[in-house]
Amino acid sequence: MNEGYVDEEYLEEGNQEMVPYEDQETYDDSSDGQAGDLLMQAANLYSQCMQVEQKTEQIRMWSEVQIAKTVAKYRSCQEFLNFTFGERDKALTKHYGVLDKAVESGDRELIIAALKGISGIVTSSPLSDFDEFVKLYEDTTQPLLDF
């Protein structure tokens, strides 16, 4: 091979001709910089994707905890209301039973006592304690009520 010349592969077989280097397409050193930049961009993008995935997982876990807290609060409130109204119902049922017996027997004293008991239950709000319950419930310093 002569110095300064290379064989070109695109020439027909058997027709090998020597072409000067300056006529050949040369390797562009600037493409190394572009490839490096693209590689760095890809690495940065991958890193950002991983961070977003981690944050997404954290948000998912936080959401699950918040949903569990909300469900627990709902169930606690439901139990409180069921208990409060259930007690009220039982007390009224007992007082009405006493009133019925008092009317049957004609016992005025027992009739008055039964009516006072019914009146006391009916005039009091079954939710009077609920405001206090909600205040305690929203207070995060109350460990027993904070789920």
Side-chain angles (χ1 to χ4, degrees):
M1 197 187 305
N2 294 337
E3 193 172 326
Y5 289 89
V6 294
D7 290 333
E8 287 223 347
E9 293 179 12
Y10 64 86
L11 295 176
E12 292 179 4
E13 189 175 320
N15 187 12
Q16 298 294 324
E17 178 178 318
M18 301 303 276
V19 180
Y21 278 123
E22 56 270 3
D23 292 344
Q24 296 282 325
E25 288 185 27
T26 58
Y27 179 72
D28 187 7
D29 289 340
S30 67
S31 66
D32 277 348
Q34 290 174 348
D37 289 344
L38 288 175
L39 188 58
M40 287 301 295
Q41 288 175 357
N44 288 336
L45 185 59
Y46 177 77
S47 175
Q48 290 173 358
C49 287
M50 294 306 294
Q51 289 174 356
V52 168
E53 283 183 20
Q54 287 175 344
K55 287 185 181 194
T56 301
E57 182 63 18
Q58 289 173 348
I59 290 170
R60 185 192 63 74
M61 291 175 10
W62 178 83
S63 296
E64 287 179 6
V65 168
Q66 295 305 314
I67 289 170
K69 284 182 177 182
T70 302
V71 167
K73 284 185 176 186
Y74 169 79
R75 288 187 178 150
S76 295
C77 288
Q78 185 179 31
E79 288 177 23
F80 176 83
L81 292 173
N82 287 340
F83 176 76
T84 300
F85 283 98
E87 269 192 350
R88 182 181 172 104
D89 180 53
K90 288 177 186 175
L92 283 172
T93 300
K94 292 285 186 184
H95 281 293
Y96 280 118
V98 169
L99 180 61
D100 288 340
K101 289 179 183 177
V103 168
E104 285 177 9
S105 67
D107 186 351
R108 287 182 55 122
E109 298 289 322
L110 196 52
I111 291 173
I112 292 172
L115 287 174
K116 282 184 180 179
I118 292 170
S119 175
I121 293 171
V122 172
T123 58
S124 68
S125 172
L127 299 178
S128 61
D129 295 333
F130 190 70
D131 290 335
E132 184 65 25
F133 176 77
V134 170
K135 285 178 189 174
L136 288 172
Y137 208 74
E138 296 298 323
D139 186 1
T140 57
T141 62
Q142 298 294 324
L144 295 177
L145 295 177
D146 186 23
F147 298 94

